[in-house]
Amino acid sequence: MNFNQEKKATCKQVLLDSLINFKKDSTNLLTTDQYEYYQKWYYAVIHDILSFYKFYGDYSRLAQLVEPSITAREAQKAVKLLEKLGFVKRRCDGGYDCRFSGISAYAEGRELVLSSYAEKMMESAKYALGNLSSEERVISWAGFSVSGEVFQKIKEETRAFRKKIISMAQSDQNPDRAFHMNIQIFPVSRPDVPQESRGEK
């Protein structure tokens, strides 16, 4: 069974589920719960909301804070999953503390899971473009041509920018809204390879 040889998403989905069940005792394995965390876009959103919202069990209100809104049942399911994973902990007074724990994924399964999650977040960006005002979002784009060497430098700059944004968010003492940031840089052409490199004469 070779995960990397499967090209179709549907085949990868079935194969990933098999990997989860087959090696579920491995310490570095993507567990079923962790896999489920990335299956619903609002699980991570609820996690972010609980970092600032004083939640005491009102799932209807919690669901309304999500953009776009989800159902109270979906919000409850998200909280239960986050609590099971250790991402949030219920206090004795009924409130919740948000904990930030990394998710350890099985090496061959991580790419598929995160790619699927990225697709869902791009769909959320489309929603924001059509439903949120320009004061509530930042959406911009640019086209350019660069060498492979410069592209690697651009990737390094985007990583540094992402870290800076996260640092700003973590230092905010009074957050009141959850946000998500997508960064996509991808080629829209094939490289101009010299003819001799392609075996042409």
Side-chain angles (χ1 to χ4, degrees), residues 36-37 40-47 74 77-78 81-82:
E36 185 179 1
Y37 177 81
K40 301 295 183 181
W41 62 271
Y42 54 82
Y43 289 166
V45 175
I46 292 291
H47 185 206
E74 289 172 330
K77 183 178 179 181
L81 177 64
L82 294 172

Side-chain angles (χ1 to χ4, degrees), residues 1 16-31 106 108:
M1 181 171 62
L16 178 58
D17 290 337
S18 298
L19 286 170
I20 292 171
N21 294 326
F22 183 68
K23 294 186 177 181
K24 60 184 178 180
D25 294 329
S26 175
T27 55
N28 296 321
L29 181 63
L30 175 73
T31 68
Y106 183 58
E108 291 183 330

Side-chain angles (χ1 to χ4, degrees), residues 38-90:
Y38 285 110
Q39 292 306 292
K40 301 295 183 181
W41 62 271
Y42 54 82
Y43 289 166
V45 175
I46 292 291
H47 185 206
D48 289 333
I49 291 175
L50 292 180
S51 69
F52 66 85
Y53 175 60
K54 298 184 183 302
F55 176 65
Y56 288 91
D58 188 346
Y59 291 102
S60 295
R61 174 56 180 163
L62 180 61
Q64 292 173 358
L65 290 175
V66 179
E67 182 69 58
S69 297
I70 59 176
T71 67
R73 185 174 183 178
E74 289 172 330
Q76 184 177 21
K77 183 178 179 181
V79 172
K80 286 184 177 180
L81 177 64
L82 294 172
E83 190 173 8
K84 182 190 298 184
L85 292 174
F87 280 40
V88 299
K89 183 178 181 181
R90 189 173 185 178

